[in-house]
Amino acid sequence: MKYVAILGFGVVGSGVAEVLSMNENKIARHVGDKVKVKYILDLRDFPGSPFEKLVTHDADQVFNDPDVKVVVETIGGARIAYEYTKRALSMGKSVVTSNKELVATHGPELMDLACKNRCIYLYEAAVGGGIPIIRPLHRCLAANRVVRIAGIVNGTTNYILTNMRDNGVSYEEALKQAQANGYAEQNPTADVDGIDAQRKLSILSSIALDGTYVAPSEIHTEGISGLSLDDIDFAGKIGCKVKLLAVFNNGDEGSSVYVAPHFVRSTSVLYPVEGVFNAIVVEGNALGEAMFYGQGAGKLPTASAVVGDILEAVMPVDAVAYSHNWSVPSNEGRVTLPYEKSVVNIVVRAPLASQEEVNNAFASYDVQTVLEDGEYACFVRGISNAEADDIVSKINGASKMHLYE
Amino acid sequence: MKYVAILGFGVVGSGVAEVLSMNENKIARHVGDKVKVKYILDLRDFPGSPFEKLVTHDADQVFNDPDVKVVVETIGGARIAYEYTKRALSMGKSVVTSNKELVATHGPELMDLACKNRCIYLYEAAVGGGIPIIRPLHRCLAANRVVRIAGIVNGTTNYILTNMRDNGVSYEEALKQAQANGYAEQNPTADVDGIDAQRKLSILSSIALDGTYVAPSEIHTEGISGLSLDDIDFAGKIGCKVKLLAVFNNGDEGSSVYVAPHFVRSTSVLYPVEGVFNAIVVEGNALGEAMFYGQGAGKLPTASAVVGDILEAVMPVDAVAYSHNWSVPSNEGRVTLPYEKSVVNIVVRAPLASQEEVNNAFASYDVQTVLEDGEYACFVRGISNAEADDIVSKINGASKMHLYE
């Protein structure tokens, strides 16, 4: 059994407990052992929570328990979190965090402390929420000189900008709606002034420069509060959208790092990134351009990244390197469903004359139909290939294609 | 010094030598030691190549050299590559590869052999070329039950389909052009019949199922050679594009895995993926949906992934876990350029009356101008922020915004 302690039972901390519980078996298979939360350290009690009994207010109890080899810091901020992180690392307990402020502010000291005490400080969740970006940048791109990073790394501001554009509302109104929908905090400063993006860029740049620390204080930062609807409209007229980008540019003269609103052209891979989604473009001198896209925040997505780090931290060190291992199922049979039994979404294409026939044939499915140029398209969802083939073969002139949406 | 041997000096193998050489210093910083190619094993000679002197035809020389701890297998195919990989792993030499056929066909045996001999078999480059996908899926998403994978994993077919759509050419014509441009081989079967995608899907599915091997033979596979221009046109009419997708769906009844052409809706993140680019959507039950996008093939992109694996394989095992370490530069000064000196692309917005003034002011730059609704937009590339601010401040009614394209 591998035991972890969660410090701070807020949105992310409770998400971590939930993911460890809901994916218990999958995680045990991956690690080769069970991973259990032994303590949840918080000032509050959580009556009624399924994790109620694990809650403690006594930090000494958590830190002095030799069973706890990995500590999850989901407190946030750079005060108590900083003290607890130093305490854990000094004792040789690995720490896993989603705390971008702490990593951006005290990263060098904390990583050094981890190194000296032969434990790990991991922070995949600090940038891009659940999107894998820290490990890919640090390991998969290790062979590259990172030439450029450009990222939509703050979902709140992207939600506001998307709303302004799509619904023609003012910045103030869009912010109010974001607050009402839980996408912006009551004090939105860290998001709308670009501070959150600045911290994330500090982290990405430090990795891109192979460990040379780029302090948040040296990152020129502009937020979105000065943007008007007119800016957004103008962007549209010239084939652009306005996005708050965190930019790292590694030029011959030196690196440029800044957070600022940008006109993003429709030809760019960042153009379609809307609402609370994040996307980070990384350009390496060998790789060329790659993009990482997904939900940059939220309870379970962020917890997904934190738990991914936990699973690395709890494993015996050599297992980290050796853990790819595929097994052939013992029954010698196939692992997956036969194609005929696979349930898919399809588009059935048929002559207009067959419209009624098609509708009747798929009446029991979730269908949506489109008429086009004397032809008929029927979107059918949740049907097995065998049944789809069977039905389509009976309709004169009909054919089918898989649908991805 | 860490020594590696490259087996097979084709496109990828020579790319690996090139990346190790061109990013030598960056790589030495990452590893904490130099990484050098000691041998290149190939049947051919390469007179004139900068790596000419490293070429040997004697496999025994390579395998019996105790300096060689990591072997790079870029031979391709599942015959000689299979024998050499088994030989290296049996001797405790780690093997790094881009060979999807070999991993998909003999993955379980080879990983088991690596495990038994305390070395590593890594294959990041086998799927998605340079795009980080294997390590993110295996490690970053380890906390997730993988619900779905849908990927454009074959650039050749995507190039053909994009060309058919954009230029209205037939499948046969598009294939011929792809061959002429070096995007398709003279015998295109493995690509156009979906075999290459099938192998990649075998690899992705085996990881998604946490190491339960999904053999290529159980993957239903359709290629694109049966598609007509009419199919492509019809897709466009109903708001879709045709893409060859590799699909893994982990449902309650079991997993479905298949390669087939799909109508991809314009609302999907896969819709904008054009030409030789690859993109893989992964959905985890905690993460939600993430997408990985980039160049799925090519000499340097693929070499980027191979060398990333080499750097993991040459490091002492505990360094793999402990290698995040940021340092504060000793001069206490800033690491990056001041914002004023950063070179950027901008859009200058000005009243129509200022058009000539703007053009003159930016005459020495790469500019492109757009007239819109009585206003004027000037795209200026490669200018420092200080100069941009200076010029814009002197033009009546002008403002600027960063440009991303």
Side-chain angles (χ1 to χ4, degrees):
Chain A
M1 189 79 78
K2 311 281 187 191
Y3 291 105
V4 304
I6 298 174
L7 315 185
F9 202 60
V11 173
V12 179
S14 61
V16 169
E18 192 175 328
V19 169
L20 280 171
S21 164
M22 82 183 186
N23 290 339
E24 191 182 354
N25 294 334
K26 144 91 200 199
I27 287 168
R29 271 201 308 280
H30 184 84
V31 174
D33 200 353
K34 287 191 175 179
V35 179
K36 285 270 182 207
V37 179
K38 188 156 181 183
Y39 307 103
I40 293 166
L41 181 67
D42 202 295
L43 296 175
R44 300 163 289 179
D45 287 310
F46 297 90
S49 155
F51 305 104
E52 182 180 1
K53 284 186 189 158
L54 305 176
V55 176
T56 173
H57 312 305
D58 180 4
D60 290 342
Q61 186 190 17
V62 175
F63 284 101
N64 294 335
D65 186 334
D67 279 355
V68 175
K69 300 281 198 301
V70 174
V71 168
V72 181
E73 185 271 296
T74 45
I75 300 167
R79 292 177 57 246
I80 303 168
Y82 178 50
E83 296 309 323
Y84 281 158
T85 300
K86 281 197 293 188
R87 186 170 172 184
L89 295 173
S90 303
M91 298 173 77
K93 294 178 193 290
S94 290
V95 176
V96 163
T97 191
S98 59
N99 188 336
K100 57 224 78 165
E101 182 178 353
L102 186 60
V103 178
T105 315
H106 296 291
E109 180 193 356
L110 296 173
M111 287 174 216
D112 191 48
L113 199 56
C115 222
K116 284 188 178 127
N117 291 284
R118 308 293 293 163
C119 56
I120 324 182
Y121 186 49
L122 294 174
Y123 49 92
E124 177 63 70
V127 182
I131 308 169
I133 177 65
I134 300 296
R135 197 172 277 102
L137 185 61
H138 184 249
R139 302 225 187 129
C140 304
L141 269 78
N144 288 263
R145 182 170 165 278
V146 177
V147 174
R148 189 176 62 135
I149 298 173
I152 296 170
V153 293
N154 181 274
T156 304
T157 47
N158 205 47
Y159 177 86
I160 291 172
L161 293 170
T162 301
N163 192 9
M164 287 172 74
R165 179 175 189 270
D166 288 355
N167 304 310
V169 298
S170 68
Y171 167 74
E172 291 73 19
E173 181 57 31
L175 172 59
K176 236 181 262 171
Q177 290 178 12
Q179 288 171 321
N181 294 330
Y183 293 130
E185 303 194 35
Q186 285 316 304
N187 179 352
T189 310
D191 290 317
V192 298
D193 289 350
I195 310 300
D196 175 75
Q198 182 193 63
R199 289 169 181 151
K200 290 166 176 166
L201 183 57
S202 156
I203 296 171
L204 294 174
S205 304
S206 300
I207 300 171
L209 290 173
D210 221 44
T212 302
Y213 174 57
V214 176
S217 58
E218 67 178 86
I219 298 176
H220 172 93
T221 299
E222 297 168 41
I224 64 161
S225 55
L227 293 173
S228 69
L229 201 49
D230 184 53
D231 294 317
I232 312 283
D233 287 344
F234 183 74
K237 287 176 186 167
I238 61 172
C240 295
K241 285 180 193 165
V242 179
K243 302 280 181 198
L244 183 69
L245 298 191
V247 175
F248 165 87
N249 254 317
N250 199 353
D252 294 336
E253 324 272 290
S255 323
S256 300
V257 283
Y258 48 91
V259 173
H262 282 66
F263 286 148
V264 174
R265 286 199 120 167
S266 60
T267 45
S268 155
V269 291
L270 292 178
Y271 185 83
V273 179
E274 297 286 30
V276 293
F277 279 84
N278 281 199
I280 300 162
V281 172
V282 181
E283 186 182 336
N285 71 337
L287 169 67
E289 204 174 86
M291 184 179 70
F292 304 84
Y293 168 93
Q295 295 195 51
K299 182 179 177 172
L300 294 186
T302 307
S304 158
V306 174
V307 179
D309 278 353
I310 293 175
L311 302 196
E312 187 135 327
V314 296
M315 286 170 92
V317 167
D318 66 353
V320 173
Y322 298 127
S323 54
H324 279 244
N325 210 341
W326 295 355
S327 61
V328 180
S330 53
N331 60 11
E332 298 281 323
R334 54 181 300 141
V335 174
T336 56
L337 290 176
Y339 185 66
E340 318 84 72
K341 290 192 182 168
S342 296
V343 173
V344 297
N345 300 335
I346 58 169
V347 178
V348 178
R349 178 181 182 179
L352 210 51
S354 309
Q355 183 174 355
E356 206 180 317
E357 197 181 348
V358 174
N359 284 358
N360 290 339
F362 293 102
S364 60
Y365 290 94
D366 166 25
V367 301
Q368 178 196 345
T369 55
V370 182
L371 293 169
E372 183 63 49
D373 266 358
E375 275 196 296
Y376 183 63
C378 179
F379 292 69
V380 185
R381 298 180 183 84
I383 189 169
S384 75
N385 282 307
E387 180 149 15
D389 281 340
D390 183 49
I391 296 178
V392 169
S393 70
K394 289 177 187 155
I395 300 169
N396 208 13
S399 63
K400 79 169 173 70
M401 173 88 85
H402 285 288
L403 169 67
Y404 181 83
E405 50 191 350
Chain B
M1 190 77 81
K2 313 281 187 190
Y3 291 105
V4 305
I6 298 174
L7 315 185
F9 201 60
V11 173
V12 180
S14 60
V16 168
E18 193 176 328
V19 169
L20 282 170
S21 164
M22 81 182 185
N23 291 338
E24 191 182 354
N25 295 333
K26 144 90 199 200
I27 286 168
R29 272 201 307 281
H30 184 84
V31 174
D33 200 351
K34 287 192 173 176
V35 179
K36 287 269 183 208
V37 179
K38 190 158 181 182
Y39 306 103
I40 293 166
L41 181 68
D42 202 294
L43 294 175
R44 300 163 290 177
D45 287 308
F46 297 90
S49 156
F51 306 103
E52 181 180 1
K53 285 186 188 157
L54 305 176
V55 175
T56 174
H57 312 305
D58 179 3
D60 290 342
Q61 186 189 16
V62 175
F63 285 102
N64 294 335
D65 187 334
D67 279 354
V68 175
K69 301 281 197 300
V70 174
V71 168
V72 181
E73 184 272 295
T74 45
I75 301 167
R79 292 179 55 247
I80 303 168
Y82 177 50
E83 295 309 323
Y84 281 158
T85 300
K86 280 197 293 187
R87 186 169 172 186
L89 294 173
S90 303
M91 299 173 77
K93 295 178 194 291
S94 290
V95 176
V96 163
T97 191
S98 59
N99 187 336
K100 59 223 76 166
E101 182 178 352
L102 186 59
V103 178
T105 315
H106 295 291
E109 179 193 357
L110 297 172
M111 288 175 217
D112 192 48
L113 199 55
C115 220
K116 283 188 178 126
N117 291 285
R118 309 290 295 159
C119 55
I120 325 183
Y121 186 49
L122 294 174
Y123 49 93
E124 178 63 69
V127 183
I131 308 169
I133 177 64
I134 299 296
R135 198 172 277 101
L137 186 61
H138 184 249
R139 302 226 186 130
C140 303
L141 270 77
N144 288 263
R145 184 169 163 276
V146 178
V147 174
R148 188 177 61 135
I149 297 173
I152 296 169
V153 294
N154 181 274
T156 304
T157 47
N158 204 47
Y159 177 87
I160 291 171
L161 293 170
T162 301
N163 192 9
M164 288 172 74
R165 180 175 189 270
D166 288 356
N167 303 311
V169 298
S170 68
Y171 167 75
E172 290 74 18
E173 180 57 33
L175 171 60
K176 238 182 258 171
Q177 290 178 12
Q179 287 170 322
N181 293 329
Y183 292 130
E185 304 193 36
Q186 286 317 304
N187 178 352
T189 310
D191 290 316
V192 300
D193 288 350
I195 309 300
D196 175 75
Q198 181 194 64
R199 288 169 182 152
K200 290 167 175 166
L201 183 57
S202 155
I203 296 172
L204 294 173
S205 304
S206 299
I207 300 172
L209 289 173
D210 221 45
T212 302
Y213 174 57
V214 177
S217 57
E218 65 178 85
I219 298 176
H220 172 93
T221 300
E222 297 168 40
I224 64 161
S225 54
L227 292 173
S228 69
L229 202 49
D230 184 52
D231 293 316
I232 312 283
D233 288 344
F234 183 73
K237 287 177 186 165
I238 60 170
C240 295
K241 285 180 193 164
V242 178
K243 303 279 180 198
L244 183 68
L245 297 190
V247 175
F248 166 87
N249 255 317
N250 198 352
D252 294 337
E253 323 274 291
S255 322
S256 301
V257 283
Y258 48 92
V259 173
H262 281 68
F263 286 148
V264 175
R265 285 200 122 167
S266 61
T267 45
S268 155
V269 291
L270 292 177
Y271 184 84
V273 179
E274 297 285 32
V276 292
F277 279 84
N278 281 199
I280 300 160
V281 172
V282 181
E283 187 182 337
N285 71 339
L287 170 67
E289 203 173 87
M291 183 178 70
F292 304 84
Y293 169 92
Q295 296 194 50
K299 181 180 179 174
L300 294 186
T302 307
S304 160
V306 174
V307 180
D309 278 353
I310 292 175
L311 302 195
E312 188 136 324
V314 297
M315 287 170 92
V317 167
D318 65 355
V320 173
Y322 298 128
S323 55
H324 279 245
N325 209 341
W326 294 355
S327 61
V328 180
S330 52
N331 61 11
E332 297 282 322
R334 54 181 299 143
V335 173
T336 56
L337 290 177
Y339 185 66
E340 317 84 73
K341 291 192 182 167
S342 296
V343 173
V344 297
N345 299 336
I346 58 169
V347 178
V348 178
R349 178 181 181 180
L352 211 50
S354 309
Q355 183 175 353
E356 207 181 315
E357 196 182 348
V358 173
N359 283 358
N360 290 339
F362 292 103
S364 60
Y365 290 93
D366 167 26
V367 301
Q368 179 195 347
T369 56
V370 182
L371 293 169
E372 183 62 50
D373 266 359
E375 276 196 297
Y376 184 64
C378 178
F379 292 69
V380 185
R381 298 180 184 83
I383 189 168
S384 76
N385 281 307
E387 181 151 12
D389 281 340
D390 183 49
I391 296 178
V392 168
S393 69
K394 289 177 186 153
I395 300 170
N396 209 14
S399 62
K400 79 170 173 71
M401 174 88 86
H402 284 287
L403 168 68
Y404 182 84
E405 48 191 352

